[in-house]
Amino acid sequence: MVSRRGFFKSIAKPLRQIEEESPPLLIRPPYGKSESLFQSECPSCENQACVTSCDEKIIFIDEETKIPTLSFAKNGCTFCDECAIACEKDVLSLDNFEGEPYLHAIFKISLQACVAHHGVICNACKEPCIDDAILFNGMFNPIIDNERCTACGFCISRCPTQAISYNVIKQEENKL
């Protein structure tokens, strides 16, 4: 008999292989005004204060482009404002948002990979969602309400089968 942990691992392994083969989608830190500012200003920044200011340790400098990007492998963004406060080049600024902050991505749950969509009781993605953006149609059909979702990423690191993915929104097309 396969344990519950063994079951989740058997599903997650093929999904990780697919993920490793595809190029990563880069999400920029919150409070950025435009992708062009990231590309023009960040590569020359030697301080990397946005990285060191992040308590969640999700901001990394992409080795190829030298531009900050987010990784949700272990945590998500709390929108604590520290990266914007630390940014010396004003690429990240609290003045860039009129309302609540959000990240430039749309999240989705794979119906094939999500165990809840296959009759297993699992709400691992819903528990860390501070925006109540993950809704269940019954016990087994989680969906993401994109009107509520700020793309914080906490659900990605909590999903046992890596069933949550995202599409990046170009910053010039965002809600600003």
Side-chain angles (χ1 to χ4, degrees), residues 14-113:
L15 294 173
R16 274 191 233 114
Q17 290 171 344
I18 292 168
E19 184 178 284
E20 289 170 1
E21 293 171 6
S22 57
L25 299 172
L26 303 178
I27 296 181
R28 303 293 180 221
Y31 313 108
K33 189 171 185 178
S34 71
E35 180 64 22
S36 61
L37 273 177
F38 279 109
Q39 291 180 10
S40 66
E41 299 297 322
C42 293
S44 64
C45 179
E46 295 177 19
N47 190 358
Q48 300 180 351
C50 60
V51 175
T52 57
S53 70
C54 181
D55 287 340
E56 299 299 322
K57 307 294 183 218
I58 62 169
I59 302 177
F60 297 90
I61 301 298
D62 181 72
E63 290 181 22
E64 189 176 312
T65 63
K66 307 296 183 211
I67 299 173
T69 187
L70 301 182
S71 170
F72 300 126
K74 295 182 181 170
N75 257 333
C77 183
T78 61
F79 301 100
C80 67
D81 304 342
E82 293 301 319
C83 59
I85 293 167
C87 181
E88 296 172 357
K89 296 196 176 242
D90 287 331
V91 174
L92 304 176
S93 173
L94 297 176
D95 295 333
N96 291 338
F97 284 88
E98 296 173 4
E100 294 294 315
Y102 61 93
L103 296 173
H104 304 283
I106 295 177
F107 283 52
K108 61 183 175 182
I109 299 173
S110 166
L111 301 180
Q112 293 80 25

Side-chain angles (χ1 to χ4, degrees), residues 80-160:
C80 67
D81 304 342
E82 293 301 319
C83 59
I85 293 167
C87 181
E88 296 172 357
K89 296 196 176 242
D90 287 331
V91 174
L92 304 176
S93 173
L94 297 176
D95 295 333
N96 291 338
F97 284 88
E98 296 173 4
E100 294 294 315
Y102 61 93
L103 296 173
H104 304 283
I106 295 177
F107 283 52
K108 61 183 175 182
I109 299 173
S110 166
L111 301 180
Q112 293 80 25
C114 177
V115 294
H117 280 278
H118 296 282
V120 176
I121 296 175
C122 178
N123 61 356
C125 59
K126 183 172 178 55
E127 290 176 13
C129 185
I130 58 176
D131 300 306
D132 290 324
I134 299 179
L135 310 172
F136 276 75
N137 293 329
M139 288 180 66
F140 301 112
N141 298 305
I143 59 168
I144 297 176
D145 181 349
N146 288 314
E147 294 296 317
R148 291 183 184 177
C149 181
T150 59
C152 70
F154 279 106
C155 58
I156 289 178
S157 65
R158 303 308 193 276
C159 179

